[in-house]
Amino acid sequence: MANSPQSKKRARQNEARFAVNKARRSRIRTFLRKVEEAIASGDKEAATAALKDAQPELMRGVTKGVYHKNTAARKMSRLSARVKALG
């Protein structure tokens, strides 16, 4: 348990950051899920539009420290390849 004032403050900050990061992760997953659903339905236009919406969200997650840069790049690459293959 936190004892010193500094460690108590850090614990409070960590809780706040955790809540913000959790919301960001959830929002990104929602956008990715929309792309997945569009791919599953076979609608290329919807999938392309969903991918276009998801990309900035995913990259924002990188700049905010929620995801690693390579993880986001890998996700975008795999999704865009699947969308492209819909033809």
Side-chain angles (χ1 to χ4, degrees), residues 19-72:
V20 169
N21 287 337
K22 186 176 179 183
R24 279 204 182 101
R25 246 191 323 271
S26 174
R27 181 177 165 88
I28 292 168
R29 284 194 197 116
T30 301
F31 276 88
L32 295 179
R33 192 184 70 244
K34 287 178 184 174
V35 178
E36 293 284 350
E37 289 170 356
I39 290 172
S41 70
D43 188 357
K44 186 163 186 170
E45 287 101 33
T48 306
L51 185 68
K52 203 167 196 164
D53 290 340
Q55 186 173 11
E57 287 297 324
L58 196 55
M59 291 306 148
R60 192 169 300 122
V62 171
T63 60
K64 300 297 183 181
V66 177
Y67 283 110
H68 190 272
K69 180 176 59 174
N70 291 358
T71 303

